[in-house]
Each structure stands twice: as C-alpha cells, then as structure tokens.
Amino acid sequence: MKNILVTGCAGFIGSNFVPYFLEKYDNYKIINLDLLTYAGNLENLRECENNPRYKFIKGDICDRNLIDELFGEFKFSGVIHFAAESHVDNSIKNPSVFVKTNVLGTHTLIDAAKKCWLDEPFKYKDEFRGARFHHISTDEVYGSLGESGYFSETTPYAPNSPYSASKAGSDMIVRSYHHTFGLDTIITNCSNNYGFKQHDEKLIPTIIRNALNGNKIPIYGDGKNIRDWLFVLDHCKGIDLAFHKGKGGETYNIGGRNERTNLQIAHKICEILDEICPKSVSYKEQISFVKDRAGHDRRYAIDASKIEGELGWKADETFDSGIIKTVEWYVKKYAK
Ligand code: NAD
C-alpha cells in the first residue's frame, strides 16, 4: 500500500478526485490534509469517510511542524497538491492570504518533501525512489488572450490577478525544486472546471442558484469574457495520467476545447432550467449585467495537444452533456 498526501480535498476538484482515485486504484491510501476554510466542506467527501484507504487530517499546509510530522509518520510516496485559495474576486479584496497559502504553503510542502525524500540534491533515499510532487495549477498564469491563439506549455507567464500571480509564484517554486534539487515534479495547468460540488461563490452555481431563487443573475461587464470549460472528472483523469505517466519536471496543460462567453454559459443554463423547471417566463429574463471585475481577463483557451499526444488524455465529456448533469445536480442541491 502506498500512502499519498493529497491536499485540499474538501474543496471542489479534490472532492471529485478522491472517490475517482480510490475506486480506480486499490494500492493507494489517501491522506487528505485540508484546513477546512470557508471553501472546504467534508460533506463533499461523505462517500469516502468509511473507506479504510482514506484518512482526513485537518491542518494548514503552511504549518511546517505538522507537515514534517505527517511526512515522518506516513512516509508519503507522492503528493498531489490541490489546496489553495482559488477565487479571483476574493484575491482582489484580500490578496495577502493568497500569497500566504498559495506561495508559502506550496513552498512549505515541497520543502518538507525534499527533506523527507532526498539525501542530497539529485539523490533520492532508497525507500523514496520514484516519489513525486504533483502541483495543480491553472491556465490563468498565462494571462489573457486576444481573439485568437491558445496557451501552450511554452507560453510565457503573465499573470494578471493576485490569484493568478500567487499560482504563478507557486509554479515557479515547484519548477525550481526540480532544477535545483532534482525533485521529481509535475505541474498541470488546467482551464476552468465545472461540475458537482463546486462552491456557491463560483460562476455556474451562482447562475443556477439565483435563477432558481427568482433573483437577478449577475453577469460581469458585457458578458463576453471567454473561458475554456472542462468537466471536473476530465480534469481528474488528466491529473491521474500526468501523476502516473508524466515525465518528471514537465508541465502539462489540460483544457476542454470548449470556449464559451459568460453570457453563453448563462443562456445555456437558463435553457436547461426552462426545460427541467419551467415557469411562465424564461429564466433568461433574470440575466442582469453588473460592474465588471477589476482587471478582468478577456479570454483563456488551452492547447492540450501535449497531454493528448504524449499521455493519451482526452476529454470524455462534451460541454453540452456535462452541463446538463451539472445543472441537474445543483437543482437537487438547492431544492434541499
Ligand atoms: P476550492 O477553493 O474549491 O478548494 C480549495 C481547498 O483547499 C478547500 O477545501 C480549502 O479548505 C483548502 N485549503 C485552503 N487553504 C488551505 C490551507 N492553508 N491548508 C490546507 N487546506 C487549505 O478550490 P478548487 O476549485 O477545488 O481548486 C483546487 C486547485 O485547482 C487549486 O489549486 C486551484 O488553483 C486549481 N485549479 C482550479 C480550477 C477551477 O476551475 N476550479 C481550474 C484550474 C486549476
């Protein structure tokens, strides 16, 4: 049995990843370290709580003593690092926690991994040979695109928000631990995820919740900001492939080739709600434009050909199929 440390699993993506991973592999025990900030909810992992190959530990990735103790006790043979402050709007209001968690927290974790796994730079201890640190990052580190072009792994970093800048900083630390110390690292940079268990504050749950409550559906600016949407389980499958088959020190972009404006997303969700929860007028009547987010990036789009070509990844879900399941899931959640 291999123990792996997976951070931040009470959040959106981690809580989709854990059940997928436990089901697929029976030779891993997952230790989930999560601080349970406002964004973490153990309800998201109820289906795993009695699984003997899953253990939850409440704690902060910035707490070096705790992290060293966990590495000592569990002798992790890998780390998959999701934990982060993840909401751009919050990073505009309070950037400092983003620097602390995303930059310093990532450094604390990877430095503890280095200390536990290596005798000296480029020399793994025998018992930790093959141990890998996989850092989960975002396409937002690349900045904003014009009407054409895609982000590839060689696109220069140009983060624009305190969130993306803190993620870019964490990516750079991970990169440096590979180059300087020979740590086996992987970075995956993914586009916007959608699916079950996402926090209420994010775009898709916000649209659905306000629609169902008869409130205005707030859309930033002119609604024409474009994101590349990926169903969360397709992201999890990409992480699994990169963790197991990726080449050490490499970065892989993961994205769905599903570009949509925010207004198209709102329209699509309203059309689905018009079908499954009809009322006298369309939910589209509730769409309302609000003052734009400061520094709002215009367009993100991922070129996923490296992970597709080298690791055989492909998205199983189309946006049209994934968004229906997603809306149905939140309709049930908000009906409770
Ligand atoms: P989330 O905000 O839903 O969850 C984050 C989790 O991290 C929460 O459970 C929270 O309690 C935990 N956490 C926060 N600070 C912590 C700390 N100091 N110590 C321990 N745990 C802490 O985030 P998410 O959407 O699931 O994103 C997970 C990762 O994926 C992040 O690194 C994010 O940057 C990246 N990512 C997200 C998306 C997306 O569309 N959601 C896209 C690309 C990359």
Side-chain angles (χ1 to χ4, degrees), residues 89 201 203 206-207 210 215-225 262-263 266 286-294 296 298:
D89 287 344
E201 68 189 355
L203 179 71
T206 297
I207 295 172
N210 283 296
N215 298 332
K216 287 184 174 166
I217 299 171
I219 297 295
Y220 279 136
D222 61 5
K224 291 190 180 146
N225 301 68
N262 289 347
L263 192 56
Q286 291 165 237
I287 293 174
S288 150
F289 295 98
V290 298
K291 188 167 179 273
D292 208 353
R293 167 190 279 167
H296 203 173
R298 200 63 177 166

Side-chain angles (χ1 to χ4, degrees), residues 81-299:
H81 174 36
F82 290 97
E85 288 290 336
S86 72
H87 192 40
V88 177
D89 287 344
N90 294 343
S91 82
I92 297 167
K93 289 185 210 121
N94 180 16
S96 55
V97 68
F98 282 72
V99 176
K100 180 169 180 279
T101 296
N102 297 357
V103 182
L104 300 179
T106 301
H107 176 255
T108 303
L109 274 180
I110 200 165
D111 196 63
K114 171 183 88 82
K115 183 178 149 206
C116 175
W117 293 345
L118 302 187
D119 272 327
E120 57 183 83
F122 297 90
K123 191 162 177 264
Y124 266 79
K125 295 174 187 164
D126 284 344
E127 63 178 312
F128 293 112
R129 207 159 276 156
R132 167 164 275 187
F133 189 99
H134 184 151
H135 177 57
I136 309 299
S137 193
T138 166
D139 62 351
E140 302 194 26
V141 298
Y142 298 120
S144 186
L145 287 165
E147 279 175 20
S148 60
Y150 296 91
F151 297 134
S152 78
E153 289 78 0
T154 55
T155 302
Y157 274 31
N160 289 323
S161 72
Y163 164 64
S164 54
S166 67
K167 292 299 290 187
S170 61
D171 292 8
M172 294 300 155
I173 287 166
V174 173
R175 176 188 158 88
S176 76
Y177 271 63
H178 175 73
H179 284 268
T180 302
F181 302 113
L183 209 70
D184 185 338
T185 61
I186 291 281
I187 302 174
T188 45
N189 296 82
C190 189
S191 60
N192 274 43
N193 286 213
Y194 70 97
F196 318 144
K197 307 179 186 174
Q198 194 167 25
H199 193 276
D200 281 354
E201 68 189 355
K202 298 286 170 69
L203 179 71
I204 288 178
T206 297
I207 295 172
I208 301 168
R209 192 178 64 257
N210 283 296
L212 292 173
N213 289 341
N215 298 332
K216 287 184 174 166
I217 299 171
I219 297 295
Y220 279 136
D222 61 5
K224 291 190 180 146
N225 301 68
I226 296 175
R227 299 292 180 261
D228 178 355
W229 292 91
L230 182 69
F231 191 61
V232 62
L233 271 180
D234 281 323
H235 184 191
C236 295
K237 291 171 190 170
I239 293 167
D240 174 12
L241 270 176
F243 181 69
H244 285 107
K245 300 203 173 124
K247 189 164 166 252
E250 292 287 312
T251 286
Y252 297 89
N253 284 355
I254 310 178
R257 301 186 199 280
N258 277 308
E259 288 184 51
R260 299 283 189 286
T261 66
N262 289 347
L263 192 56
Q264 284 172 325
I265 297 284
H267 277 173
K268 182 75 190 172
I269 291 172
C270 289
E271 283 160 19
I272 296 168
L273 289 173
D274 285 341
E275 282 279 316
I276 61 178
C277 309
K279 51 179 199 163
S280 56
V281 289
S282 169
Y283 290 92
K284 285 183 190 166
E285 298 294 319
Q286 291 165 237
I287 293 174
S288 150
F289 295 98
V290 298
K291 188 167 179 273
D292 208 353
R293 167 190 279 167
H296 203 173
D297 284 338
R298 200 63 177 166
R299 174 171 170 258

